């Protein structure tokens, strides 16, 4: 009979990482070390040390991990179309991962920013976010630590497997005990002693017989102990045989136990867990599968059905990204929730910054807010039909908001309202289609002409100017690895939503993108064509433009070779006009890069070569280096305590060439101290102007306090007279991770 119990060694708790099992076999104690982390039985030891406690120690109510960062940034000259000098900005940010009762994970973020720049508002943001993806990840982590006996953690199987392996090793040793060279040598020696004793006995008997003194077969004169050694050898053999039989019976019993537990909560159920949590069914179907698996409370906490159905929940600064024709990528200061068991429900409300938080066009803003409700049926990621109602206030941007004499056409009532019906269909595993149709209220100037209310204009079925349609398709061809994304949308001249910035003209937009791999994913080609996808929210243009933008990108990745990438795609630049308006200019850019991370004589190195060319004219943009070519070569060497970096640059345009060279080095003096510095040289032809700059940094890690980093840089940016002007920047950063 075998008895296995935890044992810490000399009656003491092991301080490090493992404990032992003491196995009593046939009244003999065998101490077998099993490599199992002490945390596996931490609850057991807590239970033993605290009399009267019948369960493991309760987890703390809150467990918080994250980081805090303070950043002070200074810049003497801004390298943008907006001129500003001597600007600074303070930013305090913290991002926390919070787990309530070790069962309910969520994320908390806080940011506050202030400075003296007129281009950026001082702001304070807070966000609390919960997603079922984080909850599913936590369930998988708990399942990985699930024992099938008392602690309900997976490590029980590991410890049981360790006992089985130890017994298998003991059985193997006993099975080959009599074939061990030392045992064979001992047996040979015993046999030799037996033969030697018998030979002496035979000689003695012969002498006695010749002398007439033979008294019988038991008259032995030479007893050298060989027979007693052989008897003990046979006894040990029988004992080992009995022990072997006992160990084999115990091993069979343990193996059956392991197989039963493994089927019950081991590998099979683990695969079921993976399949359930990553399945394509609804969240209700997922919860039903988990319930039928009879999982312990340590894996499935209370309320898991509802939490699995919560796709997302956010308070504070959140992103609302629901559909193409209602609210897409909108930053809201408020609350949003998505709930999707077998049906679908979503709600969002809050103040809308509407992408103006960091732009100069925040002047004369109208207070904007969003209220939105979505109800439907089906799985949001699979087949579904969803009805959306949205309302709120949003400022308009078009010709029709004012007239030439600056007298408003009608009171500027920026309230909007609309309905949308969206459907998503998964056509097999590799293709899906999303279609949506929407109807909104008319803009205030159009409502004034017809005398309609906000809701009344939505219900005008004979008017199609406030309607919109959208269809998107995504497909993968497994045989060739081709990915296809296509979309088409049409928006009437009076259609309004929080996904559309402007009104006043009928808009049609479409795009097609194809990703095609070649040579076993080594070469990836991406091509795209689109029309009216770059909506201009500032410049008063004809929105039904016939311009079709094309882009093409190729990336080649081969082992032990540089990564090559070439792209040809549209670019844009926003420029503030003299009359207070903003203009958006569009042009094409050619970009090519080659990057390589490699070893040379056991030294790690990195090399990057980049080429950029703008295909535009001076009339197209206010960019100083119009139709320019830029070349960059950067090389970095990683030594034990040093990081050495150097680069060469060349900017070429129709007026002059700008050459630059710089080098820097970082030295890690201690594990807690890193310093660095460098020099840079710029030479501008035609003007024959040379500039020398510098850079410096220092990073200090203070135990239990955090990390302090200081950076200072003297560089040069383009000035209005096409000559370089000095630009000093500095940054102080404090970071604490806990």
């Amino acid at each position: 009979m075998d008895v296995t119990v935890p044992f810490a060694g000399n009656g003491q708790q092991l301080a490090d990482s493992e404990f032992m099992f003491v196995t009593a076999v046939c009244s003999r104690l065998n101490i077998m070390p099993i490599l199992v982390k002490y945390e596996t039985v931490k609850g057991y030891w807590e239970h033993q040390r605290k009399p009267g406690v019948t369960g493991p120690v309760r987890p703390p109510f809150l467990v918080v991990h994250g980081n805090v960062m303070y950043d002070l940034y200074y810049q003497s000259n801004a390298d943008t179309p907006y001129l500003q000098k001597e600007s600074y900005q303070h930013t305090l940010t913290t991002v926390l991962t919070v787990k309530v009762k070790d069962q309910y994970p969520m994320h908390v973020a806080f940011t506050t920013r202030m400075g003296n720049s007129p281009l950026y508002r001082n702001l304070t943001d807070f966000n609390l976010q919960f997603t079922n993806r984080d909850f599913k990840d936590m369930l998988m982590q708990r399942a990985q630590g699930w024992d099938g006996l008392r602690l309900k953690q997976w490590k029980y199987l590991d410890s049981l497997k360790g006992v089985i392996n130890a017994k298998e090793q003991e059985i193997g040793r006993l099975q080959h005990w009599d074939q061990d060279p030392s045992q064979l040598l001992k047996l040979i020696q015993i046999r030799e002693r037996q033969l030697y004793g018998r030979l002496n006995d035979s000689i003695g008997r012969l002498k006695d017989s010749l002398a007439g003194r033979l008294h019988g077969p038991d008259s032995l004169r030479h007893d050298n102990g060989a027979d007693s050694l052989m008897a003990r050898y046979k006894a040990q053999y029988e004992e080992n045989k009995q022990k072997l039989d006992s160990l084999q019976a115990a091993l069979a019993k343990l193996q059956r136990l392991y197989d039963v537990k493994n089927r019950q909560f081991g590998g099979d159920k683990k695969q079921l867990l993976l399949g359930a949590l990553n399945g394509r069914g609804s969240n209700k179907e997922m919860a039903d599968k988990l319930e039928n698996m009879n999982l312990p409370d340590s894996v499935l906490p209370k309320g898991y059905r509802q939490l699995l159905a919560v796709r997302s929940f956010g308070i504070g600064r959140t992103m609302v990204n629901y559909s193409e024709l209602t609210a897409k990528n909108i930053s809201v200061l408020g609350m949003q929730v998505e709930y999707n068991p077998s049906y679908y429900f979503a709600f969002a409300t809050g103040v809308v910054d509407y992408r103006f938080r960091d732009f100069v066009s925040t002047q004369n803003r109208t207070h904007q807010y969003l209220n939105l409700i979505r109800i439907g049926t089906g799985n949001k990621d699979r087949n579904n039909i969803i009805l959306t109602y949205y309302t709120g206030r949003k400022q308009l941007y078009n010709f029709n908001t004012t007239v030439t004499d600056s007298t408003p056409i009608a009171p500027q009532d920026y309230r909007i309202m609309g309905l949308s019906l969206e459907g998503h269909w998964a056509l097999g595993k590799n293709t899906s289609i999303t279609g949506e149709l929407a109807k909104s209220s008319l803009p205030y100037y159009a409502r004034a002409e017809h005398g309609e209310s906000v809701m009344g204009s939505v219900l005008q079925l004979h008017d199609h100017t406030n309607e919109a349609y959208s269809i998107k398709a995504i497909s993968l061809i497994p045989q060739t690895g081709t990915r296809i994304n296509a979309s088409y949308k049409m928006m009437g001249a009076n259609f309004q939503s929080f996904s559309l910035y402007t009104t006043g003209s009928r808009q049609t937009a479409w795009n097609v993108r194809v990703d095609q791999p070649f040579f076993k994913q080594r070469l990836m080609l991406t091509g795209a064509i689109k029309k009216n996808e770059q909506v201009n929210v500032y410049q008063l243009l004809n929105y039904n433009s016939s311009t079709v933008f094309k882009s093409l990108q190729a990336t080649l990745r081969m082992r032990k070779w540089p990564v090559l990438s070439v792209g040809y795609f549209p670019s844009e630049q926003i420029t503030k006009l003299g009359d207070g308006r903003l203009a958006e200019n569009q042009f094409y850019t050619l970009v090519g890069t080659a990057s390589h991370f490699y070893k040379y004589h056991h030294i790690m190195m990195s090399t990057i070569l980049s080429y950029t060319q703008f295909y535009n004219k001076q009339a197209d943009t206010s960019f100083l280096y119009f139709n320019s070519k830029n070349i960059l070569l950067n090389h970095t060497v990683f030594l034990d305590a040093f990081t050495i970096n150097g680069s060469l640059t060349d900017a070429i345009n129709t007026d002059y060439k700008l050459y630059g060279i710089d080098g820097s080095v970082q030295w890690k003096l201690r594990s807690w101290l890193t310093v660095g510095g460098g020099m840079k040289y710029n030479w501008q032809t035609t003007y024959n102007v040379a500039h020398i700059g510098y850079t410096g940094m220092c990073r200090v890690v203070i135990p239990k306090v955090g990390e302090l980093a200081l950076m200072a840089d003297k560089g040069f940016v383009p000035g209005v007279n096409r000559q370089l002007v000095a630009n000093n920047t500095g940054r102080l950063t404090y970071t604490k991770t806990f």
Side-chain angles (χ1 to χ4, degrees), residues 588-629:
Y588 277 92
T589 304
L590 174 66
V591 177
T593 61
S595 60
H596 194 29
F597 192 81
Y598 55 97
K599 276 186 178 182
Y600 182 75
H601 291 299
H602 305 289
I603 299 176
M604 299 301 301
M605 297 186 179
S606 175
T607 303
I608 299 176
L609 176 63
S610 173
Y611 174 82
T612 305
Q613 181 171 354
F614 300 100
Y615 290 92
N616 59 340
K617 299 178 181 179
Q618 187 174 13
D620 297 334
T621 175
S622 62
F623 181 50
L624 296 179
Y625 300 131
F626 64 91
N627 199 25
S628 66
K629 305 176 182 67

Side-chain angles (χ1 to χ4, degrees), residues 67-329:
N67 62 77
V68 176
M69 186 191 74
Y70 165 76
D71 180 78
L72 170 61
Y73 181 73
Y74 164 80
Q75 188 174 15
S76 63
N77 280 293
D79 185 18
T80 68
Y82 314 114
L83 297 178
Q84 62 175 353
K85 294 180 178 294
E86 306 298 329
S87 63
Y88 64 85
Q89 185 170 279
H90 301 271
T91 304
L92 178 63
T93 302
T94 179
V95 179
L96 306 176
T97 299
V98 181
K99 190 175 290 186
V100 181
K101 294 184 178 180
D102 199 31
Q103 293 181 330
Y104 309 106
M106 61 187 67
H107 298 283
V108 178
F110 173 82
T111 299
T112 183
R113 186 184 69 192
M114 60 176 295
N116 65 343
S117 171
L119 304 181
Y120 303 100
R121 292 191 296 122
N122 297 333
L123 59 86
T124 298
D125 276 344
F126 168 81
N127 171 259
L128 185 149
Q129 189 81 22
F130 171 87
T131 65
N132 65 352
R133 182 68 264 173
D134 292 332
F135 185 67
K136 291 177 183 179
D137 292 341
M138 186 212 67
L139 290 183
M140 287 308 306
Q141 293 175 4
R142 296 175 72 87
Q144 293 290 348
W146 171 29
D147 192 298
L149 295 177
R150 192 172 69 83
L151 299 177
K152 304 295 188 255
Q153 296 176 349
W154 283 100
K155 293 181 180 180
Y156 171 79
L157 283 179
D158 296 334
S159 63
L160 187 60
K161 188 64 175 177
V163 176
I164 291 174
N165 292 336
K167 287 188 179 295
E168 288 177 344
Q169 294 177 3
E170 181 69 10
I171 288 174
R173 185 184 67 81
L174 292 176
Q175 285 177 337
H176 299 87
W177 173 82
D178 57 345
Q179 299 179 11
D180 186 83
S182 62
Q183 297 298 331
L184 291 176
L185 179 60
K186 183 185 295 184
L187 182 59
I188 291 173
Q189 292 174 348
I190 293 174
R191 291 290 188 182
E192 288 178 347
R193 294 180 66 174
Q194 283 182 328
L195 293 175
Y196 180 75
R198 291 175 183 176
L199 178 60
N200 289 337
D201 288 343
S202 298
I203 295 174
R205 287 182 180 182
L206 179 59
K207 290 180 179 180
D208 289 342
S209 177
L210 294 176
R213 296 193 298 266
L214 184 60
H215 301 290
D218 295 331
S219 58
L220 302 177
R221 295 185 177 183
H222 300 84
D223 183 7
N224 56 9
D227 291 337
S228 61
L229 289 175
M230 178 58 73
R232 288 198 297 270
Y233 181 86
K234 290 180 178 181
Q236 186 175 0
Y237 179 82
E238 292 298 329
E239 180 183 354
N240 288 343
K241 184 178 179 181
Q242 293 178 3
K243 184 188 297 185
L244 178 61
D245 294 339
S246 177
L247 285 173
Q248 287 176 335
L251 177 63
K253 183 178 179 180
L254 285 173
Q255 190 64 53
R256 288 194 298 270
L257 176 63
Y258 180 85
D259 293 339
V260 170
K261 295 300 182 183
N262 191 44
R263 286 192 300 270
Q264 180 181 352
F265 58 88
D268 295 339
K269 187 159 289 188
K270 180 179 177 181
Q271 294 303 319
L272 291 175
L273 270 174
L274 287 170
L277 295 175
N278 297 319
R280 291 175 173 266
S282 67
N283 290 311
K284 181 179 181 301
E285 295 172 346
M286 180 192 309
D288 291 340
K289 290 179 181 179
L290 295 175
E291 183 177 8
N292 294 332
M293 294 169 65
N294 297 319
L295 298 170
D297 294 339
S298 60
V299 176
L300 289 181
K302 295 180 180 179
Y304 70 92
R305 279 183 168 273
Q306 292 74 20
L307 293 176
L308 284 173
V310 177
R311 291 179 56 89
S312 64
F313 171 77
I315 297 177
R317 175 69 59 187
T318 62
M319 291 297 296
V320 177
N321 186 21
Y322 288 145
S323 72
E324 193 72 29
L325 300 179
T326 58
K328 181 180 180 181
N329 295 329

Side-chain angles (χ1 to χ4, degrees), residues 644-663:
I644 304 173
N645 182 78
S647 63
L648 300 172
T649 60
D650 184 11
I652 305 170
N653 62 27
T654 55
D655 289 338
Y656 57 82
K657 295 181 180 181
L658 176 64
Y659 300 101
I661 180 172
D662 68 78

